[in-house]
Amino acid sequence: MGLFGNTEKKIIEDLRKKSEDISKDISNEIDELLDELKSDYDENRKVVKEFNDFVDEIKSKLDPEDASKLEEFTSKLTKVKRCAKKGVEAMRELSRDQRKATRETLREYQEYLYV
């Protein structure tokens, strides 16, 4: 005789199915958000370089105080770019971790069902 009766197995199987559905929904949502974020990042990632090139062109035409302010703004814009890149990387890690957790949870349910 197994560890669980038919009633318990049915309950565990229902929980497994519900958990799997929820995990897949979460994974799909994370993947959609990651794709959207990555697409937006890829579309705009060249802006900082273009802006830096533009600043280099006009810097000599500005008075030193305005050139300094523009350099400071360029530095801040570069930090924003780094934050955006870190955001994409964090979403990629979250997506990977969610898929891993889903597989592990499903494996644990299988162990309980077939003990």
Side-chain angles (χ1 to χ4, degrees), residues 16-51:
R16 183 203 62 80
K17 178 69 174 139
K18 189 174 186 177
S19 177
E20 182 178 11
D21 291 344
I22 291 169
S23 292
K24 284 182 179 181
D25 287 346
I26 291 170
S27 291
N28 288 339
E29 190 170 336
I30 289 171
D31 289 341
E32 287 173 15
L33 290 171
L34 174 60
D35 289 344
E36 199 174 300
L37 184 62
K38 188 175 181 326
S39 174
D40 287 347
Y41 176 76
D42 288 343
E43 184 179 312
N44 293 297
R45 72 183 196 172
K46 295 177 183 174
V47 171
V48 173
K49 182 174 178 352
E50 291 172 3
F51 184 75

Coordinates of all heavy atoms in Angstrom, one line a residue, residues 16-51:
R16 N -0.9 20.1 -7.6 CA 0.2 20.1 -8.6 C -0.3 20.9 -9.8 O 0.4 21.7 -10.3 CB 0.7 18.7 -8.9 CG 1.9 18.7 -9.9 CD 2.0 17.5 -10.6 NE 0.9 17.2 -11.5 CZ 0.7 17.7 -12.7 NH1 1.6 18.6 -13.2 NH2 -0.3 17.3 -13.5
K17 N -1.4 20.5 -10.3 CA -1.9 21.1 -11.6 C -2.2 22.6 -11.4 O -1.8 23.4 -12.2 CB -3.3 20.4 -12.0 CG -3.9 21.0 -13.2 CD -3.1 20.7 -14.4 CE -3.9 21.2 -15.6 NZ -3.0 21.8 -16.6
K18 N -2.8 23.0 -10.2 CA -3.0 24.4 -10.0 C -1.7 25.2 -9.8 O -1.5 26.2 -10.4 CB -3.8 24.5 -8.7 CG -4.3 25.9 -8.4 CD -5.3 25.9 -7.2 CE -5.9 27.3 -7.0 NZ -6.8 27.3 -5.9
S19 N -0.7 24.6 -9.1 CA 0.6 25.2 -8.9 C 1.3 25.3 -10.3 O 1.9 26.4 -10.6 CB 1.4 24.3 -8.0 OG 2.7 24.9 -7.8
E20 N 1.2 24.3 -11.1 CA 1.8 24.4 -12.4 C 1.2 25.5 -13.3 O 1.9 26.2 -13.9 CB 1.7 23.0 -13.1 CG 2.3 22.9 -14.5 CD 2.2 21.6 -15.1 OE1 1.4 20.7 -14.6 OE2 2.9 21.4 -16.1
D21 N -0.1 25.6 -13.3 CA -0.8 26.6 -14.0 C -0.4 28.0 -13.6 O -0.1 28.9 -14.4 CB -2.3 26.5 -13.9 CG -2.8 25.2 -14.7 OD1 -2.1 24.7 -15.5 OD2 -4.0 24.8 -14.4
I22 N -0.4 28.2 -12.3 CA 0.0 29.5 -11.7 C 1.5 29.8 -12.1 O 1.8 30.9 -12.5 CB -0.2 29.5 -10.2 CG1 -1.7 29.5 -9.9 CG2 0.5 30.8 -9.6 CD1 -2.0 29.3 -8.4
S23 N 2.3 28.9 -11.9 CA 3.8 29.1 -12.2 C 4.0 29.4 -13.7 O 4.8 30.3 -14.0 CB 4.6 27.8 -11.8 OG 4.6 27.7 -10.5
K24 N 3.2 28.7 -14.6 CA 3.4 29.0 -16.0 C 2.9 30.4 -16.3 O 3.5 31.1 -17.1 CB 2.6 27.9 -16.8 CG 3.4 26.6 -16.9 CD 2.6 25.6 -17.7 CE 3.4 24.3 -17.8 NZ 2.7 23.3 -18.7
D25 N 1.8 30.8 -15.7 CA 1.2 32.1 -15.9 C 2.2 33.2 -15.5 O 2.5 34.1 -16.2 CB -0.1 32.3 -15.2 CG -1.3 31.6 -15.8 OD1 -1.1 31.1 -16.9 OD2 -2.3 31.4 -15.1
I26 N 2.8 33.0 -14.3 CA 3.8 33.9 -13.8 C 5.0 33.9 -14.8 O 5.5 35.0 -15.1 CB 4.3 33.6 -12.4 CG1 3.1 33.8 -11.4 CG2 5.5 34.4 -12.0 CD1 3.3 33.3 -10.0
S27 N 5.5 32.8 -15.2 CA 6.7 32.7 -16.1 C 6.4 33.4 -17.4 O 7.2 34.1 -17.9 CB 7.0 31.2 -16.4 OG 7.5 30.6 -15.2
N28 N 5.2 33.2 -17.9 CA 4.8 33.8 -19.2 C 4.8 35.3 -19.0 O 5.2 36.1 -19.9 CB 3.4 33.3 -19.7 CG 3.5 31.9 -20.2 OD1 4.6 31.4 -20.6 ND2 2.4 31.2 -20.3
E29 N 4.2 35.8 -17.9 CA 4.1 37.3 -17.7 C 5.5 37.9 -17.5 O 5.8 38.9 -18.1 CB 3.3 37.5 -16.4 CG 3.0 39.0 -16.3 CD 1.9 39.2 -15.2 OE1 1.2 38.3 -14.8 OE2 1.9 40.4 -14.6
I30 N 6.4 37.2 -16.8 CA 7.8 37.6 -16.6 C 8.5 37.7 -18.0 O 9.2 38.7 -18.3 CB 8.5 36.8 -15.6 CG1 8.0 37.0 -14.2 CG2 10.0 37.0 -15.7 CD1 8.6 36.0 -13.2
D31 N 8.3 36.6 -18.8 CA 8.9 36.6 -20.1 C 8.4 37.7 -21.0 O 9.2 38.3 -21.7 CB 8.7 35.2 -20.8 CG 9.5 34.1 -20.1 OD1 10.5 34.4 -19.4 OD2 9.2 32.9 -20.3
E32 N 7.1 38.0 -21.0 CA 6.6 39.1 -21.8 C 7.2 40.4 -21.3 O 7.5 41.2 -22.2 CB 5.0 39.1 -21.6 CG 4.3 38.0 -22.4 CD 2.8 38.0 -22.1 OE1 2.3 39.0 -21.5 OE2 2.2 36.9 -22.4
L33 N 7.2 40.6 -20.0 CA 7.8 41.9 -19.5 C 9.3 42.0 -19.9 O 9.8 43.1 -20.2 CB 7.6 42.0 -18.0 CG 6.2 42.2 -17.5 CD1 6.1 42.0 -16.0 CD2 5.7 43.5 -17.9
L34 N 10.0 40.9 -19.8 CA 11.4 40.9 -20.1 C 11.6 41.2 -21.6 O 12.4 42.0 -22.0 CB 12.0 39.5 -19.8 CG 13.5 39.3 -20.3 CD1 14.4 40.3 -19.7 CD2 14.0 37.9 -20.0
D35 N 10.8 40.6 -22.5 CA 10.9 40.9 -23.9 C 10.6 42.4 -24.2 O 11.3 43.0 -25.0 CB 9.9 40.0 -24.7 CG 10.3 38.6 -24.8 OD1 11.5 38.3 -24.5 OD2 9.4 37.7 -25.1
E36 N 9.6 42.9 -23.5 CA 9.2 44.3 -23.7 C 10.3 45.2 -23.2 O 10.7 46.2 -23.9 CB 7.9 44.6 -22.9 CG 7.2 45.8 -23.3 CD 5.9 45.9 -22.5 OE1 5.0 45.0 -22.7 OE2 5.7 46.9 -21.8
L37 N 10.9 44.9 -22.0 CA 11.9 45.7 -21.5 C 13.2 45.7 -22.3 O 13.8 46.7 -22.6 CB 12.2 45.3 -20.0 CG 13.3 46.0 -19.2 CD1 12.8 47.5 -19.0 CD2 13.5 45.4 -17.9
K38 N 13.5 44.5 -22.7 CA 14.7 44.3 -23.6 C 14.6 45.0 -24.9 O 15.5 45.6 -25.4 CB 15.0 42.8 -23.8 CG 16.3 42.5 -24.5 CD 16.6 41.0 -24.6 CE 17.9 40.7 -25.2 NZ 18.3 41.5 -26.3
S39 N 13.4 44.9 -25.5 CA 13.1 45.6 -26.8 C 13.3 47.1 -26.6 O 13.9 47.8 -27.4 CB 11.7 45.3 -27.2 OG 11.4 46.0 -28.4
D40 N 12.7 47.6 -25.5 CA 12.8 49.1 -25.3 C 14.3 49.5 -25.0 O 14.7 50.5 -25.5 CB 12.0 49.5 -24.1 CG 10.5 49.5 -24.4 OD1 10.1 49.4 -25.6 OD2 9.7 49.6 -23.4
Y41 N 15.0 48.7 -24.3 CA 16.4 48.9 -24.0 C 17.2 48.9 -25.3 O 18.0 49.8 -25.5 CB 17.0 47.9 -23.0 CG 18.4 48.2 -22.8 CD1 18.9 49.2 -22.0 CD2 19.4 47.4 -23.4 CE1 20.2 49.4 -21.8 CE2 20.7 47.6 -23.2 CZ 21.1 48.6 -22.4 OH 22.5 48.8 -22.2
D42 N 17.0 47.9 -26.1 CA 17.8 47.8 -27.3 C 17.5 48.9 -28.3 O 18.4 49.4 -29.0 CB 17.5 46.5 -28.0 CG 18.1 45.2 -27.3 OD1 19.0 45.4 -26.5 OD2 17.6 44.1 -27.6
E43 N 16.2 49.4 -28.3 CA 15.8 50.5 -29.1 C 16.5 51.8 -28.7 O 16.8 52.6 -29.6 CB 14.3 50.6 -29.1 CG 13.7 51.6 -30.0 CD 12.2 51.6 -29.9 OE1 11.6 50.6 -29.9 OE2 11.6 52.8 -29.7
N44 N 16.7 52.0 -27.4 CA 17.2 53.2 -26.9 C 18.6 53.3 -26.4 O 19.1 54.3 -26.0 CB 16.3 53.7 -25.8 CG 14.9 54.0 -26.3 OD1 14.7 54.9 -27.1 ND2 13.9 53.3 -25.8
R45 N 19.3 52.1 -26.5 CA 20.6 52.1 -25.9 C 21.7 52.9 -26.6 O 22.7 53.3 -26.0 CB 21.1 50.6 -25.7 CG 21.5 50.0 -27.0 CD 21.8 48.5 -26.7 NE 22.5 48.0 -27.9 CZ 23.1 46.9 -27.9 NH1 23.1 46.1 -26.8 NH2 23.7 46.5 -29.0
K46 N 21.5 53.2 -27.8 CA 22.4 54.0 -28.6 C 22.3 55.5 -28.3 O 23.1 56.3 -28.8 CB 22.3 53.7 -30.1 CG 22.7 52.3 -30.4 CD 22.5 52.0 -31.9 CE 22.7 50.5 -32.1 NZ 22.4 50.1 -33.5
V47 N 21.2 55.9 -27.7 CA 21.0 57.3 -27.4 C 22.1 58.0 -26.7 O 22.5 59.1 -27.0 CB 19.6 57.5 -26.7 CG1 19.4 58.9 -26.3 CG2 18.5 57.0 -27.6
V48 N 22.6 57.3 -25.7 CA 23.7 57.9 -24.9 C 24.9 58.2 -25.7 O 25.5 59.3 -25.6 CB 24.1 57.0 -23.6 CG1 25.3 57.6 -22.9 CG2 22.9 57.0 -22.7
K49 N 25.3 57.3 -26.6 CA 26.5 57.5 -27.4 C 26.2 58.6 -28.4 O 27.1 59.5 -28.6 CB 26.8 56.2 -28.2 CG 28.1 56.4 -29.1 CD 28.5 55.2 -29.7 CE 29.7 55.4 -30.7 NZ 30.2 56.6 -30.9
E50 N 25.0 58.6 -29.0 CA 24.7 59.7 -29.9 C 24.7 61.1 -29.2 O 25.2 62.1 -29.7 CB 23.3 59.5 -30.5 CG 23.2 58.3 -31.5 CD 21.8 58.0 -31.9 OE1 20.9 58.7 -31.5 OE2 21.7 57.0 -32.6
F51 N 24.2 61.1 -27.9 CA 24.2 62.3 -27.1 C 25.6 62.7 -26.8 O 26.0 63.9 -26.9 CB 23.4 62.1 -25.9 CG 23.3 63.4 -25.1 CD1 22.4 64.4 -25.5 CD2 24.0 63.6 -23.9 CE1 22.3 65.6 -24.7 CE2 23.9 64.7 -23.1 CZ 23.0 65.7 -23.6

